Amino acid sequence: MADDKLVGIVLVSHSAQVAASVAELARGLAGGGAALPDAQAAGTDLRRIGTSAELIASAAASVDRGAGVAVLTDLGSAVLTVKALLAEGDELPEGTRLVDAPFVEGAVAAVVTASTGADLDAVEAAAGEAYTYRKV
């Protein structure tokens, strides 16, 4: 399957190390099959803990293949920054969605589902279902 038909995934974290580790885990559990368009927008442009609207917008643009972009975030200001970008309406590619999901489990579900060629609705639903994963 060509990567131009896949939903793009953006992981937004306050920490570059966290985002890279979650992306590595998700890709590994997806089997490394398809060349899934994914990116991380982590920390600030000064490589500090935090979030950057510019890094988020750039990451979303880099994974957009016209099938939509699912954005998963870790904590408060990451959520607020993505919401502000979505409200502005011209900073993120058309079809970009903030996905309400736990960061690690949701990212794994989103990447695994997107790698099958599923559409944005299915990717969002799979990530959101991660809230129901029971550990005991």
Side-chain angles (χ1 to χ4, degrees):
M1 175 173 300
D3 69 337
D4 61 345
K5 302 294 183 195
L6 299 175
V7 171
I9 307 290
V10 175
L11 302 179
V12 180
S13 176
H14 286 69
S15 164
Q17 292 87 353
V18 168
S21 295
V22 170
E24 178 184 11
L25 175 65
R27 278 190 230 108
L29 293 174
L36 183 71
D38 70 284
Q40 299 103 50
T44 68
D45 54 356
L46 299 175
R47 301 189 191 277
R48 294 186 179 139
I49 297 291
T51 56
S52 163
E54 292 80 18
L55 292 177
I56 295 167
S58 176
S62 76
V63 301
D64 179 29
R65 304 293 186 272
V69 176
V71 180
L72 290 96
T73 61
D74 62 0
L75 302 169
S77 67
V79 175
L80 295 174
T81 303
V82 173
K83 283 183 175 182
L85 287 167
L86 287 167
E88 290 173 18
D90 61 349
E91 296 293 318
L92 296 174
E94 186 174 334
T96 298
R97 291 188 196 165
L98 173 60
V99 175
D100 185 16
F103 192 61
V104 175
E105 294 92 335
V108 169
V111 168
V112 168
T113 303
S115 71
T116 69
D119 66 13
L120 184 56
D121 289 336
V123 170
E124 181 177 30
E129 286 174 15
Y131 275 126
T132 66
Y133 296 171
R134 303 285 307 178
K135 296 182 180 162
V136 290

